[in-house]
Amino acid sequence: MRISAPSCLCPFLVCLCFIQRCYGASHHLPAKVPSFRNGTKLAKGETEVHHRPKRGWIWNQFFVLEEHLGTEAQYVGKLHSNSDKGDGSVRYILSGDGAGNIFVIDEVTGDISATKSLDRESKSHYVLHAQALDRNTEEALEPKSEFIIKVQDINDNAPTFPHGPVVATVPEMSELGTSVLQVTASDADDPTYGNSARIVYSVLQGQPYFSIDPKTGIIRTALSEMDREAREHYTVVIQAKDMAGQVGGLSGSTTINITLTDVNDNPPMFPQKNYQLYVPESAQVGKPVGKIKATDEDLGINADIKYSIINSEGANTFSISTERDTREGIISLKKPLNYERKKTYTLHIEGTNTHVDPRFSYLGSFKDTATLKITVGDVDEAPIFSIDHYIMDVYENSPSGTEVGAVMARDPDSRNSPVRYFLDSKEEGVRYFRIDESSGLIRTTQSLDREDMSWHNITVMASEVDNPSLLSHVPVTVQVLDVNDNPPEIATDEEVIVCESSRPGQVIQTVTAVDKDDFANGQRFSFALPSQLPVNPNFTLKDNEDSSASIIARRRRFNQQTQELYELPIVVWDGGEPSLSGTSTLTLRVCPCQRHGKVRMCQGEAFLSSAGLSTGALIAILLCIVILLAIVVLFITLRRSKKEPLIISEEDIRENVVTYDDEGGGEEDTEAFDIIALRNPAAAEEFKFRRDIRPEKRKHCVLPRSHRAAAVELDESDVHEFIKQRLVEADMDTSVPPYDSLQTYAYEGQGSPTGSVSPLDTPGTQSEQDYNDLDNWGPQFQKLAELYAEAESEVTA
């Protein structure tokens, strides 16, 4: 089979078709060729030779132009088999990519045609399969063969850029040829065939500022030292053209927006060289008084300016700082202004860039100067005191009207107006002092007492007579000096404890003195007993000559029972001029002391001291206890007075049994039941104590045994009569419940052979024990010894 292509495509294809056809004709083989290898011997001795013809497919690539615009189908090529005799017995079929819908074949002639317009950019080639069949038997005359139809490219796609516009930047003042940006265009045509995809770049707009490399697409500056301050934004249009830029090529374009970025190539400049500013002399220190600003055409940090005052005259009185947002120089006051002393100031102000680019140092220094003349305005000022704080002194007890001191103020203005003085009426010091409104002399209004208040603080105000609204203030401190006008006195008001076992010459206590007066060299006191009184037989006083004195006992053993309190007057002299004296009377209390006299206080005081409670705390505790007891008593009384019904309900009828579970407390129980009532009812009624009143205190707590035995010896009485009497009283008592109650009285009698163990009924004789030795046992047994001593004295009497 032969594959023929139309000769109208190009000279190359015509030559290729000619070679194919000649090659096919020269290789036409005869029908029979002797061959023993493939022969079959016949019956008559002849041999039949079978000829296997060689494959007749002659093929090559087919080409078809893209974007065919004709109305008829585009001829692609021809398929031909050597088995085709031209009688129509061979049928050609086509399969593969686009077979049947894009590519069709004539079944008789084998001509292939393209029925549709093809786009190489969508599909560049198609793979198909051809086969020759016997039309009658449908048997394959040739094996299926594969061939390719390539879509031949034409220049039908223009170059394209990415979506724009594109933004680029380049620093101003850049050198010639500085790279800005590289652009790249793409062409969908076949880059391996012809010049359809060969792109060349050019500048359509943006010259003479920028240029582009035609092959690489790199945009560069075409001018040197382009100034942003002159022009900042540029619009550059770049064209990309295929076919190597030849006539007939397709093109595309894009827009590049190029911005010149700022560099510090401009120094700051003051709009003018001389400025004037008016500042009143009343301007406050540290507050802004004016502004000045230098301009800089640069942007951002390249335009930052630092201001400074470069001459000493201005720098000593004024300061300048930069406001970051507005880049203004803020002028502030460092020292107070005084119109009368200096009326004008001249400031040389310099503005300098803070970020200088050394590449542009050839342009000059990046700073500028200006002159500011400040005129001080005259303002009516308040009077000024000679000093900021006055300290004066005056002796106490001085008469009213005594001079303390004087203040002085003057008008700082050139008019020198007279000044008027007065005290601040809101302060407490106006009660003690007054001031002369013309001279400023301060006097006392009353006698001062240093012990009451040693320092006084007052405020003196001054104003001009012509303008009272302008006030000035000054603090004045007055010290009250001391004089010796207070006598000394003993430092303590507490009682002095004297032990009963004190010995003659023993120091009872050391006392000191106090004085309200102030002694610069220390207080010196002398002590003595009053000379006009007789000699004290119990105590004497020794001056220790160190502003203290010692109280010394003169006799042995003091008895609290005999005399508990002693008074000792003491005269104290101070060391002032003139010397003053005072008499203080000390109270000395006799108390039993512990061994070695370690604790010198009475038992009640010792208890309070050991507890660490003050008198107020004890009173509060006792008050709380009393309130709690009152609440308990009230609660018990209310419960007793509440009467419950005997019968709770009509259905609930039952006996009521009242049980009393009182038990005796033994010999120590003297309240629950008195055994004397059973033994002698008459005597019990006679000696019966009332419980609603406090019983009288017995004279002695302890009685001798003989007396106790006599007191408990009672005559026996008829217990039976006593019980009957109590029963009648119970029946007649209207305060008891209406139901019966059982009261049992039992009397055991005296017939027990064991006897009583109670010491009350034990008749004994007077003890022969000597209790005087208890005095030597210490303070713990002293009270017991006193009781036995009193009891023995009564028995003896």
Side-chain angles (χ1 to χ4, degrees):
M1 179 181 290
R2 290 188 307 228
I3 302 176
S4 300
S7 61
C8 60
L9 296 180
C10 63
F12 174 77
L13 296 178
V14 172
C15 296
L16 184 61
C17 293
F18 177 77
I19 294 173
Q20 289 176 349
R21 291 175 180 177
C22 294
Y23 178 82
S26 62
H27 286 75
H28 184 71
L29 297 178
K32 295 181 181 180
V33 176
S35 175
F36 295 98
R37 178 179 296 179
N38 295 327
T40 302
K41 190 175 181 180
L42 298 178
K44 295 181 178 181
E46 297 181 353
T47 302
E48 182 180 0
V49 180
H50 296 278
H51 301 281
R52 185 172 71 86
K54 293 183 180 179
R55 177 171 297 182
W57 291 111
I58 301 173
W59 63 274
N60 204 337
Q61 292 186 105
F62 288 138
F63 294 91
V64 59
L65 288 175
E66 67 170 336
E67 305 294 343
H68 177 66
L69 301 179
T71 57
E72 298 180 356
Q74 184 180 187
Y75 181 73
V76 177
K78 184 180 181 65
L79 295 180
H80 184 75
S81 176
N82 292 335
S83 301
D84 189 358
K85 304 301 183 183
D87 55 359
S89 61
V90 178
R91 185 168 69 91
Y92 297 95
I93 61 174
L94 193 64
S95 64
D97 294 342
N101 56 353
I102 297 177
F103 300 102
V104 295
I105 190 171
D106 189 326
E107 294 183 354
V108 177
T109 63
D111 294 332
I112 303 174
S113 302
T115 62
K116 295 182 179 180
S117 178
L118 303 179
D119 186 8
R120 189 200 66 83
E121 288 71 33
S122 299
K123 192 174 180 64
S124 61
H125 65 277
Y126 296 85
V127 178
L128 295 100
H129 299 85
Q131 193 173 17
L133 301 177
D134 190 311
R135 185 179 296 277
N136 298 320
T137 62
E138 292 296 327
E139 292 183 358
L141 300 177
E142 298 288 347
K144 183 182 292 187
S145 181
E146 181 182 284
F147 64 97
I148 297 175
I149 299 177
K150 282 191 173 183
V151 181
Q152 189 175 7
D153 182 50
I154 63 174
N155 190 17
D156 60 340
N157 291 279
T160 59
F161 289 93
H163 295 292
V166 180
V167 178
T169 60
V170 62
E172 65 172 333
M173 307 298 291
S174 296
E175 297 179 354
L176 179 66
T178 301
S179 176
V180 179
L181 179 70
Q182 183 179 15
V183 294
T184 302
S186 60
D187 196 320
D189 292 327
D190 189 0
T192 62
Y193 178 75
N195 293 327
S196 299
R198 186 178 177 185
I199 299 174
V200 174
Y201 300 96
S202 62
V203 178
L204 296 182
Q205 178 183 339
Q207 295 175 341
Y209 307 105
F210 298 94
S211 62
I212 190 170
D213 188 298
K215 293 183 179 180
T216 62
I218 297 177
I219 302 174
R220 302 179 185 273
T221 57
L223 293 178
S224 62
E225 298 183 352
M226 287 190 292
D227 191 3
R228 184 198 65 82
E229 288 73 28
R231 181 177 177 181
E232 184 177 3
H233 301 287
Y234 294 86
T235 300
V236 179
V237 178
I238 304 297
Q239 182 190 62
K241 189 173 183 180
D242 59 12
M243 299 297 293
Q246 298 177 4
V247 178
L250 302 179
S251 64
S253 62
T254 185
T255 300
I256 312 296
N257 293 324
I258 301 177
T259 301
L260 298 182
T261 58
D262 184 63
V263 297
N264 191 7
D265 59 339
N266 293 280
M269 298 188 65
F270 289 98
Q272 58 192 60
K273 291 299 182 181
N274 296 292
Y275 295 87
Q276 291 185 353
L277 181 63
Y278 173 83
V279 179
E281 63 175 337
S282 59
Q284 298 181 8
V285 175
K287 298 294 183 180
V289 295
K291 299 179 181 179
I292 191 171
K293 183 177 182 181
T295 60
D296 193 323
E297 295 180 353
D298 294 322
L299 300 176
I301 62 173
N302 297 321
D304 288 345
I305 302 174
K306 179 182 179 182
Y307 298 93
S308 59
I309 302 174
I310 58 178
N311 65 321
S312 59
E313 177 187 355
N316 292 334
T317 309
F318 298 91
S319 63
I320 189 169
S321 60
T322 304
E323 211 285 323
R324 295 184 58 183
D325 295 333
T326 62
R327 295 190 174 94
E328 294 177 330
I330 309 300
I331 302 171
S332 302
L333 190 62
K334 291 174 63 177
K335 295 180 180 180
L337 300 177
N338 193 328
Y339 174 81
E340 288 72 27
R341 294 181 181 178
K342 192 173 180 61
K343 296 179 175 58
T344 60
Y345 292 87
T346 300
L347 278 67
H348 297 296
I349 300 176
E350 182 181 77
T352 307
N353 279 142
T354 57
H355 300 82
V356 178
D357 194 337
R359 294 179 301 169
F360 307 105
S361 59
Y362 65 91
L363 297 176
S365 61
F366 285 78
K367 60 184 178 181
D368 195 16
T369 58
T371 301
L372 174 62
K373 184 178 181 179
I374 297 179
T375 301
V376 180
D378 187 18
V379 178
D380 193 5
E381 300 176 83
I384 299 177
F385 286 93
S386 59
I387 57 177
D388 296 333
H389 188 193
Y390 290 88
I391 299 177
M392 305 175 183
D393 54 55
V394 63
Y395 279 99
E396 66 174 331
N397 302 328
S398 297
S400 176
T402 301
E403 293 184 4
V404 179
V407 297
M408 185 179 67
R410 64 175 181 85
D411 182 12
D413 300 323
S414 57
R415 295 180 302 174
N416 196 16
S417 300
V419 178
R420 185 174 65 91
Y421 305 93
F422 55 94
L423 298 179
D424 190 355
S425 59
K426 298 180 181 179
E427 294 184 350
E428 187 180 359
V430 297
R431 297 190 306 164
Y432 306 101
F433 305 94
R434 58 184 173 87
I435 188 171
D436 187 277
E437 64 178 18
S438 300
S439 63
L441 182 62
I442 301 174
R443 299 176 182 270
T444 60
T445 58
Q446 57 181 294
S447 179
L448 303 179
D449 186 5
R450 189 201 66 84
E451 288 72 33
D452 183 23
M453 185 180 295
S454 59
W455 292 88
H456 295 270
N457 295 315
I458 59 177
T459 301
V460 177
M461 296 186 293
S463 66
E464 295 180 11
V465 176
D466 299 336
N467 189 1
S469 60
L470 295 177
L471 299 176
S472 58
H473 306 74
V474 66
V476 178
T477 301
V478 180
Q479 181 184 10
V480 182
L481 301 178
D482 183 56
V483 296
N484 192 16
D485 59 343
N486 292 280
E489 58 186 11
I490 299 300
T492 179
D493 292 335
E494 298 180 357
E495 294 179 344
V496 178
I497 303 301
V498 180
C499 292
E500 290 183 338
S501 59
S502 298
R503 300 181 304 276
Q506 180 179 348
V507 177
I508 303 300
Q509 186 167 333
T510 300
V511 295
T512 58
V514 294
D515 196 323
K516 295 181 180 179
D517 293 323
D518 182 21
F519 296 93
N521 298 324
Q523 296 179 343
R524 301 287 298 178
F525 300 103
S526 301
F527 302 85
L529 296 178
S531 59
Q532 66 273 17
L533 296 179
V535 177
N536 194 318
N538 301 310
F539 305 97
T540 186
L541 187 68
K542 177 186 177 183
D543 191 349
N544 298 325
E545 297 183 356
D546 59 353
S547 297
S548 67
S550 300
I551 302 174
I552 301 175
R554 279 189 137 179
R555 68 183 180 88
R556 180 186 302 274
R557 291 190 62 87
F558 294 86
N559 192 340
Q560 184 184 21
Q561 302 296 330
T562 304
Q563 183 174 351
E564 183 178 3
L565 299 177
Y566 293 89
E567 291 184 353
L568 181 65
I570 300 176
V571 181
V572 186
W573 289 271
D574 60 19
E577 288 292 337
S579 179
L580 298 180
S581 63
T583 301
S584 301
T585 302
L586 295 181
T587 301
L588 287 74
R589 179 182 296 274
V590 178
C591 289
C593 297
Q594 295 182 4
R595 183 173 297 181
H596 306 300
K598 290 183 179 180
V599 180
R600 297 177 179 176
M601 54 182 61
C602 298
Q603 294 179 358
E605 295 176 352
F607 172 75
L608 296 179
S609 176
S610 62
L613 299 176
S614 62
T615 305
L618 290 175
I619 294 175
I621 294 174
L622 293 177
L623 183 61
C624 293
I625 294 175
V626 171
I627 294 174
L628 290 176
L629 290 177
I631 293 174
V632 172
V633 172
L634 180 62
F635 178 74
I636 295 175
T637 305
L638 292 177
R639 290 198 59 180
R640 287 184 176 180
S641 62
K642 182 178 179 182
K643 296 182 179 181
E644 299 180 357
L646 300 178
I647 299 177
I648 299 176
S649 63
E650 295 180 0
E651 292 80 13
D652 189 9
I653 301 176
R654 65 188 70 182
E655 293 182 357
N656 294 280
V657 179
V658 180
T659 304
Y660 298 91
D661 296 331
D662 294 339
E663 296 183 2
E667 296 178 357
E668 297 180 358
D669 187 3
T670 60
E671 299 293 337
F673 188 80
D674 193 359
I675 195 63
I676 300 177
L678 294 178
R679 296 180 177 179
N680 191 355
E685 287 294 329
E686 181 179 356
F687 294 98
K688 186 175 182 181
F689 293 99
R690 293 182 59 185
R691 297 185 181 181
D692 56 342
I693 62 174
R694 184 184 299 273
E696 297 180 358
K697 184 182 293 186
R698 297 182 180 180
K699 183 176 181 181
H700 302 292
C701 297
V702 181
L703 298 177
R705 279 186 190 174
S706 60
H707 285 250
R708 292 199 301 269
V712 298
E713 290 181 0
L714 301 175
D715 297 334
E716 295 184 3
S717 302
D718 189 359
V719 179
H720 179 69
E721 293 296 330
F722 171 74
I723 294 176
K724 289 179 62 178
Q725 182 181 356
R726 284 290 183 263
L727 182 59
V728 173
E729 291 178 358
D731 292 339
M732 300 300 295
D733 191 357
T734 58
S735 61
V736 299
Y739 45 84
D740 293 338
S741 61
L742 182 61
Q743 299 184 8
T744 304
Y745 300 91
Y747 175 66
E748 297 179 358
Q750 296 182 344
S752 176
T754 305
S756 175
V757 296
S758 175
L760 299 177
D761 296 338
T762 304
T765 60
Q766 183 178 355
S767 175
E768 297 179 357
Q769 179 70 33
D770 186 7
Y771 298 102
N772 294 328
D773 293 338
L774 293 176
D775 292 334
N776 301 326
W777 288 8
Q780 294 87 347
F781 300 93
Q782 186 173 0
K783 192 66 178 180
L784 184 61
E786 292 176 358
L787 293 177
Y788 276 108
E790 292 176 1
E792 289 178 358
S793 62
E794 292 178 1
V795 172
T796 305

